[in-house]
Amino acid sequence: MMAKKFPTDSDYANSNKNLEAEDYEVDYAITHTCPLYQVRTLGCYHVAREEEPLQNYFQWVCDKLNQTNEMLADGSGDKKGRSFKHWYFGHWHTDWNKNWLELMHMEELPQKCRAIYLDVEDMETGEHIFLK
């Protein structure tokens, strides 16, 4: 039996149903790959074009989560007060940390995304955890 590589239409529909049930209000997203916009921000390119539909979907989800955040911040809409904190992803084998941001003259990561490879980070505080 072959392992499933990418989500099916049914998987996307199930994801949409679950996100809609929560009004697109989530604290964290943890995925293997990232929203499509982050591929460009990382300066990466695709060798495997078959990943693009999933990254396009993640970009759409990320945009919806950010829209929910904006509504929460300006008081519009009838929201419960939760907000999207971070999207963590791996795949690119890099750590997007504060040193990287300073090198790139950026103050924060676009769209609250964070590449994790070797770093360990406290999700609540954003502080690095150093392992012995």
Side-chain angles (χ1 to χ4, degrees), residues 27-91:
D27 292 329
Y28 300 98
I30 302 171
T31 56
H32 174 74
T33 194
C34 59
L36 187 61
Y37 179 80
Q38 303 310 313
V39 175
R40 296 181 193 115
T41 302
L42 283 166
C44 299
Y45 63 92
H46 278 287
V47 183
R49 291 279 182 203
E50 62 269 13
E51 292 178 2
E52 285 184 357
L54 178 59
Q55 291 168 334
N56 276 322
Y57 176 73
F58 285 162
Q59 184 63 52
W60 178 81
V61 170
C62 194
D63 292 343
K64 290 286 279 187
L65 297 177
N66 281 322
Q67 287 171 2
T68 299
N69 254 8
E70 289 169 13
M71 289 194 300
L72 288 167
D74 72 8
S76 62
D78 183 21
K79 299 294 176 183
K80 299 172 190 161
R82 292 184 297 171
S83 64
F84 170 47
K85 295 177 183 172
H86 253 81
W87 189 306
Y88 293 98
F89 62 92
H91 185 57

Side-chain angles (χ1 to χ4, degrees), residues 27-28 83 85-86 88 121-127 129:
D27 292 329
Y28 300 98
S83 64
K85 295 177 183 172
H86 253 81
Y88 293 98
E121 182 176 297
D122 183 305
M123 290 172 65
E124 289 295 321
T125 66
E127 292 182 39
I129 300 169

